[in-house]
Amino acid sequence: MKLLLPASLAQQLVTALRRAGSREIGGVLMGEHVGENLFRIVECTVQTQGGTASRFVRQAESHTVALDRFAEQHGHDPRRFNYLGEWHSHPCHPLVPSPTDIGTMEGIVNDLWIGANFAVLLLVRLGRAGALEAAARIYLPGAPAREATLILESRMEATDDH
Ligand SMILES: [Zn+2]
């Protein structure tokens, strides 16, 4: 699977990561199904509270509001615009999911109430030069996680959008 990351969103993450320093931050990803095995990360929530240097705990309620608003804005078209997954930072650790991260993602894709047939986990941090480093994996019910290819979209490319 390929994931498009618009430059504006990458910049939003860089700003949030700078502010958070060594605390983990995160949120949910909302995406657009662009083509076969191709999704664009359209929006993300940024929760800056509740994280330590090695742990991020998502507070469900505020993200639910954001997901509802996202669905509303895009005309309730869940096949095209939908929850895409989770993101959080690993300011002090490599961009590899922890056992807790894996457990959380497996819980999400196996939760019949959520009804996601897959979910992305995007891990981010700032590199030495202050640039965004990111890695994404796709979690599927009853299958091993797979690496996703992240493609940073330039501003030019992003403008062909409707
Ligand atoms: Zn983690």
Side-chain angles (χ1 to χ4, degrees), residues 20-31:
S22 61
R23 276 180 307 113
E24 291 197 6
I25 57 171
V28 298
L29 302 171
M30 291 157 266

Side-chain angles (χ1 to χ4, degrees), residues 6-19 25 42-46 87 132:
S8 56
L9 215 134
Q11 189 53 51
Q12 187 190 347
L13 290 173
V14 166
T15 305
L17 288 169
R18 275 197 198 126
R19 285 201 190 121
I25 57 171
V42 175
E43 218 180 286
C44 66
T45 60
V46 181
W87 76 275
L132 186 70

Side-chain angles (χ1 to χ4, degrees), residues 32-140:
E32 177 185 5
H33 190 183
V34 180
E36 194 172 346
N37 282 320
L38 181 65
F39 290 81
R40 174 179 290 123
I41 303 170
V42 175
E43 218 180 286
C44 66
T45 60
V46 181
Q47 177 192 313
T48 56
Q49 305 294 313
T52 68
S54 60
R55 192 171 160 79
F56 173 73
V57 180
R58 170 147 87 76
Q59 294 153 350
E61 307 75 30
S62 59
H63 304 286
T64 308
V65 171
L67 288 168
D68 287 346
R69 186 183 40 72
F70 181 74
E72 180 95 17
Q73 270 173 358
H74 293 284
H76 295 283
D77 184 4
R79 291 177 58 145
R80 185 162 165 210
F81 293 98
N82 210 333
Y83 168 81
L84 191 59
E86 307 284 320
W87 76 275
H88 66 266
S89 63
H90 276 188
C92 308
H93 299 284
L95 298 180
V96 176
S98 69
T100 307
D101 292 343
I102 294 168
T104 302
M105 295 311 294
E106 288 178 348
I108 288 170
V109 292
N110 289 304
D111 185 331
L112 294 176
W113 285 102
I114 297 175
N117 43 26
F118 73 93
V120 171
L121 175 61
L122 175 70
L123 296 176
V124 294
R125 69 174 183 181
L126 295 177
R128 274 164 202 254
L132 186 70
E133 292 181 353
R137 282 180 174 225
I138 317 295
Y139 290 81
L140 303 144

